[in-house]
C-alpha cells in the first residue's frame, strides 16, 4: 500500500480465533513508531515518509499466543505541494499576457486551468496565459500538481486592468473630404470630470474650448462658420486619469492644413 502523507490505514486481524488481547506495533527501519492496544482491528495515520513494518501480537484462551508481521507493506510518500508565481504583477489591455513560473515540489505532473485565456489549459511545467484585449477584470489561475499517488491544488488570481492613454495628432486637414477633418485628443478612458481642451492661435487668442471629451475642433473659430486660417496652433489639454486620480496637463502644437 502506497500513498501520500498523511496516509490513514485500517488494519483487520484475520486470524481464525478471536483474541483476548492484541498489541499492534508499527516500526520504521526497526525503530518503533507506535503501539496500538486493540482487538480485531486498528487504524493509524502515517505522517512521516518512508516504508513501515506492522506486526500484531495476540493472546488467546488457555494461554495461547500468536504473532503476525507485514514487512515494508506500507510506504508513505512526500505529498506534492502546488505553488507558482506570476512573473508580472498585473496585465493591462495593451499587455494582456501573463507568465506563470512553477514553484511546486514533490510533483511529477502539472495541469494548469486558465479560464478566459488562450490557451485555457496547459500541462507544461510553466505556463503562459494570453487574455482578451477588451476584457479587464480579475482572472483565476489554477495549478494542479500531482505525482503517482496524490495531488495538490492552488488557485490564485491576476488582474488584467484597463488603462488611461492619451495621444494627440500633430496635424489635420479640415477640407470636408471626410478624412482627418477634425482635431481631437484620442486614447482610452477620457472622463468628463475636470476635462478641458483649449486651442489658441499664435497671438494667444482662444479659438476653441471644450469640456466634453468627445467634442472635436472642426477647424473653425469656436466651431462656427468662420474658417480658421492655415497655421500652427497651440493646444492645451487638462484631464484626470480615472484610475489614479492624477491630473494630466499637456501642451503642444497642431498644424491646420487645407
Amino acid at each position: 500500500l502506497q500513498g501520500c502523507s498523511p496516509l490513514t490505514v485500517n488494519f483487520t486481524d484475520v486470524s481464525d480465533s478471536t483474541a483476548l488481547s492484541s498489541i499492534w506495533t508499527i516500526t520504521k527501519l526497526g525503530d518503533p513508531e507506535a503501539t496500538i492496544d486493540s482487538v480485531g482491528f486498528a487504524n493509524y495515520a502515517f505522517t512521516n515518509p518512508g516504508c513501515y513494518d506492522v506486526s500484531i501480537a495476540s493472546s488467546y484462551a488457555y494461554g495461547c499466543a500468536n504473532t503476525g508481521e507485514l514487512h515494508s507493506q506500507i510506504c508513505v510518500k512526500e505529498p506534492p505541494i502546488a505553488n507558482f508565481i506570476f512573473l508580472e504583477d498585473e496585465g493591462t489591455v495593451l499587455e494582456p499576457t501573463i507568465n506563470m513560473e512553477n514553484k511546486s515540489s514533490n510533483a511529477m505532473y502539472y495541469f494548469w486551468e486558465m479560464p478566459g485565456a488562450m490557451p485555457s489549459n496547459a500541462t507544461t511545467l510553466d505556463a503562459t496565459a494570453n487574455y482578451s484585449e477588451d476584457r479587464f477584470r480579475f482572472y483565476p489561475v489554477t495549478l494542479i500538481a500531482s505525482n503517482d499517488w496524490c495531488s495538490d491544488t492552488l488557485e490564485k488570481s491576476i488582474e488584467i486592468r484597463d488603462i488611461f492613454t492619451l495621444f494627440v495628432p500633430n496635424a489635420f486637414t479640415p477640407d470636408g473630404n471626410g478624412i482627418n477633418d477634425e482635431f481631437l485628443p484620442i486614447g482610452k478612458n477620457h472622463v468628463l470630470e475636470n476635462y478641458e481642451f483649449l486651442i489658441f492661435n499664435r497671438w494667444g487668442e482662444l479659438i476653441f474650448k471644450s469640456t466634453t471629451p468627445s467634442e472635436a475642433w472642426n477647424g473653425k473659430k469656436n466651431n462656427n462658420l468662420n474658417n480658421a486660417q492655415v497655421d500652427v496652433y497651440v493646444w492645451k489639454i487638462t484631464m484626470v486619469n480615472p484610475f489614479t486620480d492624477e491630473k494630466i496637463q499637456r501642451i503642444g502644437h497642431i498644424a491646420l492644413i487645407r
Side-chain angles (χ1 to χ4, degrees):
L1 176 64
Q2 300 183 76
C4 291
S5 172
L7 176 64
T8 298
V9 180
N10 296 312
F11 304 100
T12 301
D13 183 358
V14 293
S15 302
D16 293 334
S17 302
T18 301
L20 298 177
S21 65
S22 295
I23 300 295
W24 305 76
T25 303
I26 297 170
T27 59
K28 177 183 177 184
L29 299 176
D31 296 325
E33 177 159 312
T35 57
I36 305 169
D37 186 348
S38 178
V39 175
F41 61 89
N43 62 76
Y44 184 72
F46 296 84
T47 57
N48 297 315
C51 292
Y52 293 82
D53 300 330
V54 179
S55 62
I56 181 173
S58 298
S59 298
Y60 301 88
Y62 309 109
C64 297
N66 194 15
T67 61
E69 186 172 8
L70 297 174
H71 294 282
S72 298
Q73 293 296 303
I74 299 171
C75 291
V76 181
K77 306 296 183 179
E78 289 276 8
I81 301 174
N83 191 21
F84 67 93
I85 60 172
F86 295 111
L87 298 185
E88 294 80 17
D89 292 333
E90 62 184 8
T92 69
V93 291
L94 293 183
E95 296 178 338
T97 297
I98 300 296
N99 295 285
M100 282 75 70
E101 182 177 340
N102 198 328
K103 295 290 186 177
S104 302
S105 56
N106 305 321
M108 303 165 60
Y109 318 106
Y110 307 100
F111 186 77
W112 298 86
E113 294 179 340
M114 303 168 289
M118 290 294 293
S120 60
N121 57 68
T123 56
T124 51
L125 176 64
D126 302 319
T128 297
N130 299 291
Y131 294 96
S132 171
E133 296 179 0
D134 59 356
R135 297 186 64 187
F136 44 91
R137 60 182 180 88
F138 282 91
Y139 289 87
V141 175
T142 302
L143 171 61
I144 303 172
S146 60
N147 54 31
D148 286 334
W149 305 280
C150 50
S151 64
D152 187 38
T153 301
L154 176 66
E155 179 181 305
K156 296 183 179 182
S157 62
I158 187 70
E159 182 182 14
I160 305 298
R161 64 175 179 83
D162 204 357
I163 61 172
F164 170 88
T165 59
L166 173 61
F167 305 99
V168 184
N170 57 16
F172 76 123
T173 57
D175 51 15
N177 67 354
I179 301 175
N180 200 26
D181 280 336
E182 295 181 326
F183 172 51
L184 179 70
I186 57 178
K188 289 177 62 65
N189 296 302
H190 296 178
V191 296
L192 189 63
E193 180 184 2
N194 296 323
Y195 180 89
E196 187 177 63
F197 178 34
L198 306 175
I199 307 290
F200 302 91
N201 63 17
R202 65 175 59 244
W203 297 280
E205 179 186 5
L206 181 64
I207 300 298
F208 174 77
K209 176 181 179 179
S210 174
T211 57
T212 304
S214 60
E215 184 179 8
W217 183 36
N218 63 8
K220 302 177 186 294
K221 186 174 181 179
N222 295 321
N223 276 3
N224 59 22
L225 298 178
N226 299 318
N227 284 334
Q229 67 183 37
V230 173
D231 207 342
V232 175
Y233 294 81
V234 175
W235 54 261
K236 180 180 179 181
I237 299 170
T238 303
M239 61 176 63
V240 172
N241 182 332
F243 303 110
T244 64
D245 292 327
E246 176 190 4
K247 182 179 180 180
I248 308 295
Q249 192 170 81
R250 301 284 189 271
I251 298 175
H253 297 84
I254 180 69
L256 190 159
I257 305 169
R258 296 189 192 279

